[in-house]
Amino acid sequence: MTFKRNKVPRAVVSRLPAYYRYLINLEKAGLVRISSQQLGERMGLTASQIRQDINCFGGFGQQGYGYNVAELRGRIGAILGLTHKYRCIVVGAGNIGLAVSGYAAFRQIGFVVEALFDVRPQALGYTKGGLPVLSVEQLPQYLAENPIDVGVLAVPEGAAQPMCDLLVKGGVKAIWNFAPVDLSVPDGVTLNSVHLQDTLLVLSYYMTNPAKADERSE
Amino acid sequence: MTFKRNKVPRAVVSRLPAYYRYLINLEKAGLVRISSQQLGERMGLTASQIRQDINCFGGFGQQGYGYNVAELRGRIGAILGLTHKYRCIVVGAGNIGLAVSGYAAFRQIGFVVEALFDVRPQALGYTKGGLPVLSVEQLPQYLAENPIDVGVLAVPEGAAQPMCDLLVKGGVKAIWNFAPVDLSVPDGVTLNSVHLQDTLLVLSYYMTNPAKADERSE
């Protein structure tokens, strides 16, 4: 696996997970190969955009044949880093934290939640899925004993940055943040924030300003 | 409010909610005006990108003064459609459905959840916040009696399209979908899907392929 710095545009990166999702489903459906035209039709993209995107990572297709579905899925999976397991913990055992920790699909692609942490005494114990919910007071020691790759933040706004700092101090390499706040992390730590309200406001924008269907895609 | 078709690029639309979030916080902090330079520094964008984005909607700033924070927040709020209340229901009273229905911030910006629906008998009753959780069997009648603007889909993958169709048939104008599937809706219905796994895979990509900080933004 290469770790060299890359210059793939963020817009292309943001489409990779959708490619992965579609290819998994095509593979499940037994499809062996697909043209950029056919893939584009399913995904609402043009054939040329598909080819451009995939060429960012070195072209895998073959003129007149298209893409081998399993091969392309495997290559995109590798580009996305889905070649090994990631140890994860979730801070905040509210509804979002429980949703993330209980979601089998994340485990299937290699993101394995090992424990949750919460400040509320009544939240401690075990989840329905049998994962331990520990006190945040135990978090520093837990991180010292368990090298964790991904910390999921599902805490209220005010607790997000302090908890993020605690995770970073404990060696966590990536933060998946659900708190409605933009966090700062040091260089070398990866951060991706899911701002649910932002996605609601995009919905609201398009309700208020209906676009033609062909204007909706990027 | 205008409902004319617009051609604002989706990338600009996708940044509007962040503008709104930052401006709300600046207003709360008592700031009266801000330059595009200062706003850019806080948001991790260049001053010229800020000006370009805002100019898509007609320029609001004043040369040498910058933007009036409250005015710009109000204008962006209006562009986002936050000038009136939206009646919402949530289909699926699992963790995601409960998180969305219990989130005070959504109510504060005008999205008011009136009821949840579920197929599981043990899920029916009331949420902690006092909202009714009704059987999906009651959904068609509920929609006939209550004009609903936004339907939130927080159901398993297989149930998402049938439930979406039921909502559309019942006159729901917009679907905020959390199921990991791309839905189809007829013209005139707005759809925005939150693919949580996609955001996890983007995190995974950047863990695997670390980008320089200045390459991370769009």
Side-chain angles (χ1 to χ4, degrees), chain A residues 147-198:
Chain A
I148 293 297
D149 300 301
V150 179
V152 182
L153 280 177
V155 296
E157 192 170 343
Q161 188 65 58
M163 284 298 136
C164 178
D165 296 343
L166 210 63
L167 291 170
V168 168
K169 204 175 161 194
V172 170
K173 298 179 203 97
I175 307 286
W176 193 22
N177 170 47
F178 288 84
V181 56
D182 288 319
L183 300 173
S184 32
V185 292
D187 277 354
V189 174
T190 306
L191 168 71
N192 202 9
S193 290
V194 181
H195 291 302
L196 293 182
Q197 178 177 304
D198 288 10

Side-chain angles (χ1 to χ4, degrees), chain A residues 51-66:
Chain A
R51 286 193 299 268
Q52 265 182 31
D53 283 358
I54 292 172
N55 280 340
C56 284
F57 303 94
F60 308 139
Q62 206 178 308
Q63 189 76 33
Y65 175 87

